Structures are given as C-alpha cells and as structure tokens.
Amino acid sequence: MGVDKVSVSYKYLPKLQFEPYLPITKGQILEVQASLVLGAPSSFFRLDDAPEYMQQTLESTIYQLHAGVDLVFRKERHAQAREQMHEIIRKAYYTFKDGSVHDGRSLGFELEDLIRDTKQ
C-alpha cells in the first residue's frame, strides 16, 4: 500500500507565513537538500531585501523537501521510496532541532542517496 497525500502530515512544522518555493524536478529537490546540509540548522543564505518571515529557515526547507518529494515522486511505484524520504526528512528536522548538526547532515546525505537512486 502506498503513501497517499493525506497520510503525509506536515503538522509537526510551525505554520509558515508565506508559500515557499516548491521544487518540481529531481534536480531541484537535490538543490534544496544541499541547502539543508549546508545551512541547517540556522546558517541559510539570507536575502537582504526580503522581510524576516520570507527568509529561508529550517522549517521552510523541510516543507520544501516534503512538498517536492510529493510532486516529483508521485507515482504508485514510488510509494515505498516516497515514504522513506518523508521519514528521513522528519528525522532530519528533529535531529537538527535537537542540536545534532552532524547527525542531521548525515540524514541529509542519506536523503540525497535515496533521491538519486529513485528513478522518476
């Protein structure tokens, strides 16, 4: 049985005040994954002219990864990989929030491998 849109919950994330960029290709998901590995938990690239609520954060990056996985790996044959990706993303979020940067980055690399190995 696959993971459907209803079963994937983002409720553990705080409510964002804007709609963040959504990756729609495998390459774009990998770019967001790279920003997670390089910037999390609090050293993301900042836009000088954007208001604080629109700056990239751990929460907005995690949201982008979840949404991108749902958009790019939406076929039934991706169900198992999609479920694994969502679980790794959730674990990475909590790991970074707990202050374990090294372990969070390791999960980011695990996610990268799974994304690269999953055929569209």
Side-chain angles (χ1 to χ4, degrees):
M1 185 112 209
V3 176
D4 60 30
K5 191 80 167 156
V6 177
S7 68
V8 177
S9 174
Y10 311 132
K11 293 185 192 281
Y12 69 94
L13 295 172
K15 179 76 174 139
L16 298 176
Q17 295 182 25
F18 68 102
E19 287 297 321
Y21 159 82
L22 297 180
I24 58 172
T25 68
K26 190 174 181 177
Q28 289 174 346
I29 294 174
L30 289 169
E31 289 172 358
V32 175
Q33 172 274 334
S35 72
L36 176 74
V37 170
L38 296 172
S42 60
S43 298
F44 291 99
F45 179 76
R46 309 234 354 126
L47 300 172
D48 292 337
D49 56 349
E52 187 62 33
Y53 73 88
M54 291 183 70
Q55 297 293 346
Q56 186 177 16
T57 63
L58 176 61
E59 287 75 14
S60 65
T61 304
I62 293 293
Y63 178 87
Q64 290 168 353
L65 287 170
H66 278 304
V69 164
D70 284 341
L71 290 169
V72 174
F73 299 106
R74 65 186 171 273
K75 296 178 181 171
E76 183 60 33
R77 65 186 169 95
H78 298 134
Q80 184 178 3
R82 187 174 55 243
E83 184 176 357
Q84 290 174 315
M85 288 179 209
H86 283 301
E87 183 60 25
I88 293 169
I89 295 166
R90 275 190 291 276
K91 284 181 183 176
Y93 175 74
Y94 287 119
T95 302
F96 281 120
K97 289 301 272 186
D98 287 342
S100 300
V101 176
H102 177 74
D103 293 339
R105 288 185 176 149
S106 293
L107 287 164
F109 288 123
E110 185 178 333
L111 177 64
E112 177 183 16
D113 291 342
L114 186 55
I115 291 168
R116 287 190 190 280
D117 292 345
T118 303
K119 294 189 172 100
Q120 286 183 286

